Amino acid sequence: MISLQEFLYEGDDLGATYWEASTLFKVWSPVADHMKVLLYQDSMDEIGISYDMVKTEHGIWELRLFGDYKNMYYNYKVITRTGETVTPDPYTKGATVNGMKGMIVDFSSINPVGWENHRLPQPIQSTEAVIYEMHIRDFSSDSSSGIHHKGKYLGFTETGTKTETGEMTGIDHLKELGITHLHIMPVFDFSSTDECNENEYNWGYDPFLYNVPEGSYSSDPIDGTIRIKEFKQMIQTLHENNIRIVMDIVYNHTYRVDSSPFHILAPGFYYRINQDGVYGNGSGCGNEIATEKPMVRKFILDSLKFWMTEYKIDGFRFDLMALIDINTMQEIQTLLRSINPNVLLYGEPWTGGGSFLDYPMQFQKGKQRGKQIAIFNDEFRNAIKGDNDGWYTGFVNGGMGHEQNMKRGIVGSIYYNPELSGFAEEPVESVNYVSSHDNLTLYDKMVKCCPGQSDCDIEKRNRLALSIIMTSQGIPFLHGGSEFLRTKGGNPNSYNAGDAVNAIRWDNKNKYHETFEYIKGLIEIRKSLEILRLRKAEEIRKTVSFLETPPGVVAYVLNSSVGDNAFHVLIVHNANRDSFQIILPYQGEWKLLANGVKADVKGIKDTIINTEFVRIDGISTFIYQMNSI
Ligand code: CA
């Protein structure tokens, strides 16, 4: 049996640490009888030169090699009574193709020009974020992108790219839209594709080497320096264009157990296993990582800190976050916020199946209370559009009786009053979304649930759904492409469906230009009206008042006053096909900012409304603003 205390190592020097004069290797393997470093001449070298490591305390093996080993490849040979196995270092910071060998990385020799001191985006509060989810490959793989480096990190560094009809694409599109955070689906090294085969596609929820960028998105997966340089070029370009970057990370399972460096160095230790030797499967992928064990928790903390400091990552999205124990999540939040107080942290508050982690220890919905970690608000999502892939409808697509849950979501799922009480202590704990990479796209869901309706009506319902997301309290999240009605042809799980299904069709930006302009206008409105992104539950309780409305309509007014200046915003979501009249809650001059078709922070009409009633069109969101003295 491994005693946890005896084999707990707390140093911050695991892996291969490079200096010009020497390289220090340290690896944790309490069960090995002997351990060797294999140093390779190049990426093709299969044999390597072998150096014995020395066992020190706490299960650590150590070796210092004098000389300059800059960017050379290495592995460990683990020797036990039952045999010997060669494995990459789980702490390796670089690798050759498909993670066959790790790399002794000298970042200073790889960094792109200007990396160290490149301009970072302004710090912003989490509630000021507008998150946009994208897959590296989907962003540029279609010919309509006009992007040269298709499917690659470098696709995000190209400016001035356009569709044939002249619509901006790529990073220019992101700037035009106005998002604050690009959330990228897995870019750590994953194993589900052969990095040399351009035809293989996967979302990448199959971790192998956690601290290495995925090779298939680089222009050369064999030379381990290229992926590091190109991913940093992508980050630098985004930062210099005032876009922050969130990594989607998967510390809940590994692609395989037997081939995992974790398992080779410490068999069984990194995973949840019961008394009968059965592996937990809370991930739905055949294993689950035992985050509650100190050396496993340490690995996760070290890994996150590494991405944040070496790659200047601005936030993390935790896949199946409920599988991470609450103590680890607490330590993550404390550590990362000590490095960057504005780090954006959010995740899925659920598992992918029954877990061996005791339920009270799972980071389920509610466990985020007061912790500055946000969760995907599935209750609000379902209230807006119905279930993910089935026939159930929600508020925007003809469902009945969703008004109460809509209101609960609009206030950020905080405690608003005894009837409207949600899971969150503060609004910053709710990520508001209607679609993401999983399940049907918003457009495909609308098509499924609104048979026989015109494309125009479908488009209006998409706008209504996204209007709700962009005006509600909490953190708005857009599935990339939904701003011009992304479709995957009804595929609800396109993880390996290739570019044909997954690629962003930039031509749709022209086809659905009105919707694109509308979403862009909504983002601008959100950014300019602080009242839409309140930081505290207490402020929301004071500011938001719901109005009496017929079924299929939710309307509320946001009131604030500074000194003698009153400021009111009226938001009306009308999901009915018919228009209806609403009495303006205050007499005075109202300015129309959005009418379901157009959205403009400066007002979409020259005329100022000064009437008792206004008419709200069917299937639309209207936003009015009044300043009065
Ligand atoms: Ca890979």
Side-chain angles (χ1 to χ4, degrees):
M1 272 307 276
I2 295 173
S3 145
L4 293 185
Q5 285 315 310
E6 187 185 347
F7 290 106
L8 178 58
Y9 178 70
E10 290 176 325
D12 63 356
D13 53 358
L14 288 173
T17 308
Y18 169 85
W19 293 274
E20 226 173 271
S22 71
T23 292
L24 176 66
F25 300 89
K26 278 196 176 184
V27 59
W28 185 74
S29 181
V31 299
D33 293 323
H34 300 281
M35 182 78 75
K36 293 172 192 291
V37 170
L38 299 179
L39 201 63
Y40 301 99
Q41 291 305 304
D42 54 46
S43 63
M44 303 301 288
D45 181 0
E46 290 304 322
I47 298 156
I49 304 165
S50 161
Y51 299 88
D52 287 327
M53 301 185 85
V54 174
K55 194 168 192 178
T56 62
E57 290 180 316
H58 309 294
I60 297 291
W61 297 80
E62 196 177 321
L63 171 70
R64 186 182 291 271
L65 285 181
F66 289 94
D68 189 346
Y69 296 95
K70 177 187 303 205
N71 303 330
M72 284 184 71
Y73 298 106
Y74 77 105
N75 275 334
Y76 293 130
K77 185 183 273 185
V78 189
I79 300 158
T80 64
R81 266 150 289 174
T82 54
E84 51 181 59
T85 315
V86 174
T87 178
D89 184 347
Y91 270 85
T92 187
K93 304 177 188 90
T96 182
V97 63
N98 295 327
M100 300 291 286
K101 301 179 181 80
M103 191 167 80
I104 302 159
V105 181
D106 169 29
F107 285 102
S108 67
S109 67
I110 299 172
N111 287 339
V113 175
W115 167 261
E116 278 84 0
N117 296 311
H118 77 259
R119 191 177 72 239
L120 300 174
Q122 294 297 311
I124 58 171
Q125 299 283 321
S126 296
T127 44
E128 293 176 89
V130 178
I131 305 169
Y132 186 90
E133 184 193 38
M134 186 48 65
H135 182 270
I136 295 283
R137 192 159 162 150
D138 297 353
F139 193 60
S140 55
S141 60
D142 194 64
S143 61
S144 63
S145 70
I147 292 170
H148 175 66
H149 296 97
K150 289 190 171 51
K152 305 295 181 189
Y153 297 121
L154 291 181
F156 288 81
T157 66
E158 296 181 37
T159 54
T161 57
K162 287 186 164 59
T163 63
E164 279 187 359
T165 51
E167 303 272 1
M168 286 185 224
T169 65
I171 190 169
D172 286 355
H173 170 78
L174 300 181
K175 282 171 72 180
E176 187 186 14
L177 185 59
I179 60 145
T180 65
H181 287 73
L182 177 73
H183 154 157
I184 37 164
M185 287 164 67
V187 287
F188 53 78
D189 174 47
F190 55 82
S191 275
S192 44
T193 59
D194 175 355
E195 295 179 354
C196 284
N197 187 344
E198 289 277 323
N199 296 319
E200 291 188 15
Y201 175 101
N202 207 284
W203 283 347
Y205 294 89
D206 313 283
F208 185 53
L209 298 177
Y210 280 97
N211 296 344
V212 178
E214 164 61 17
S216 60
Y217 302 143
S218 74
S219 62
D220 176 1
I222 294 168
D223 180 343
T225 65
I226 303 296
R227 60 180 76 186
I228 294 171
K229 183 175 186 182
E230 292 178 348
F231 184 37
K232 283 188 168 179
Q233 282 178 274
M234 168 179 166
I235 296 164
Q236 185 172 346
T237 308
L238 287 162
H239 279 169
E240 288 173 348
N241 285 283
N242 206 31
I243 297 171
R244 298 150 197 86
I245 185 158
V246 173
M247 270 178 77
D248 187 347
I249 35 97
V250 186
Y251 295 111
N252 61 70
H253 75 279
T254 59
Y255 181 51
R256 296 267 188 266
V257 171
D258 289 350
S259 61
S260 166
F262 288 156
H263 189 71
I264 295 167
L265 289 162
F269 181 82
Y270 282 85
Y271 299 93
R272 294 188 183 122
I273 306 173
N274 72 7
Q275 309 92 299
D276 303 324
V278 175
Y279 280 76
N281 190 20
S283 65
C285 299
N287 64 77
E288 51 181 280
I289 288 180
T291 61
E292 65 279 13
K293 295 185 187 172
M295 287 304 286
V296 183
R297 178 178 297 156
K298 174 179 167 51
F299 178 83
I300 296 171
L301 289 163
D302 287 348
S303 177
L304 287 163
K305 182 181 175 183
F306 166 72
W307 285 112
M308 213 172 155
T309 52
E310 184 58 49
Y311 285 85
K312 305 180 195 271
I313 296 295
D314 305 284
F316 297 96
R317 176 265 189 196
F318 294 83
D319 188 64
L320 303 181
M321 186 165 60
L323 287 176
I324 304 178
D325 69 286
I326 55 175
N327 294 332
T328 298
M329 284 310 301
Q330 182 66 63
E331 285 198 34
I332 288 171
Q333 121 83 14
T334 305
L335 172 71
L336 300 190
R337 222 164 278 284
S338 74
I339 301 168
N340 172 6
N342 295 292
V343 65
L344 189 57
L345 304 174
Y346 56 99
E348 297 179 306
W350 50 75
T351 68
S355 169
F356 284 178
L357 179 63
D358 288 345
Y359 192 83
M361 294 308 290
Q362 296 179 13
F363 205 84
Q364 293 277 352
K365 192 190 298 174
K367 291 287 169 44
Q368 87 297 331
R369 290 179 71 88
K371 290 198 175 69
Q372 290 183 280
I373 296 169
I375 62 173
F376 283 97
N377 192 336
D378 56 341
E379 296 169 23
F380 196 20
R381 178 196 71 199
N382 294 348
I384 296 170
K385 68 160 191 188
D387 63 351
N388 278 325
D389 299 332
W391 299 96
Y392 288 102
T393 50
F395 179 78
V396 304
N397 46 5
M400 309 272 276
H402 296 291
E403 291 80 1
Q404 194 74 352
N405 283 333
M406 277 279 296
K407 291 177 185 174
R408 196 169 277 131
I410 283 167
V411 295
S413 291
I414 55 148
Y415 175 88
Y416 177 76
N417 65 27
E419 284 81 48
L420 289 182
S421 178
F423 59 80
E425 190 170 310
E426 299 291 352
V428 70
E429 295 163 19
S430 175
V431 170
N432 300 326
Y433 76 120
V434 275
S435 59
S436 69
H437 68 274
D438 277 321
N439 307 110
L440 292 175
T441 69
L442 180 62
Y443 178 82
D444 289 347
K445 168 70 180 172
M446 295 296 161
V447 169
K448 180 165 187 170
C449 288
C450 307
Q453 290 195 18
S454 68
D455 202 43
C456 178
D457 274 4
I458 300 276
E459 195 174 351
K460 280 189 200 170
R461 292 188 193 282
N462 274 265
R463 285 202 293 260
L464 176 57
L466 294 175
S467 304
I468 297 164
I469 293 307
M470 292 310 307
T471 51
S472 294
Q473 303 294 331
I475 306 172
F477 170 104
L478 290 172
H479 179 220
S482 57
E483 70 278 21
F484 44 84
L485 290 87
R486 182 174 184 177
T487 177
K488 292 186 197 165
N491 187 328
N493 187 12
S494 61
Y495 73 99
N496 65 354
D499 299 331
V501 170
N502 287 290
I504 295 291
R505 312 284 164 192
W506 291 95
D507 289 342
N508 278 344
K509 190 175 172 186
N510 185 40
K511 184 178 176 188
Y512 297 112
H513 192 80
E514 193 172 67
T515 294
F516 165 72
E517 287 290 339
Y518 179 78
I519 306 302
K520 177 184 151 191
L522 280 180
I523 291 175
E524 219 178 336
I525 291 170
R526 183 177 182 88
K527 281 176 160 179
S528 69
L529 297 184
E530 223 176 309
I531 209 165
L532 296 179
R533 39 190 172 79
L534 298 168
R535 291 176 195 177
K536 289 289 173 192
E538 196 186 326
E539 289 181 275
I540 294 173
R541 287 189 285 269
K542 276 195 286 192
T543 307
V544 177
S545 300
F546 289 98
L547 307 178
E548 287 284 328
T549 44
V553 179
V554 172
Y556 59 105
V557 62
L558 298 138
N559 302 302
S560 85
S561 52
V562 180
D564 290 338
N565 281 316
F567 180 76
H568 308 287
V569 173
L570 171 66
I571 296 175
V572 189
H573 302 301
N574 179 11
N576 299 321
R577 300 186 74 95
D578 297 328
S579 67
F580 84 108
Q581 277 198 334
I582 190 166
I583 304 172
L584 287 167
Y586 303 98
Q587 288 306 300
E589 293 186 340
W590 291 86
K591 186 164 69 173
L592 182 61
L593 304 187
N595 67 355
V597 181
K598 290 197 163 109
D600 188 341
V601 69
K602 294 186 283 296
I604 60 170
K605 285 178 183 169
D606 297 334
T607 51
I608 300 288
I609 298 113
N610 194 352
T611 53
E612 198 179 340
F613 296 93
V614 285
R615 182 159 286 282
I616 308 294
D617 294 340
I619 321 177
S620 65
T621 293
F622 274 53
I623 305 173
Y624 289 97
Q625 179 194 323
M626 182 172 82
N627 298 304
S628 66
I629 297 168

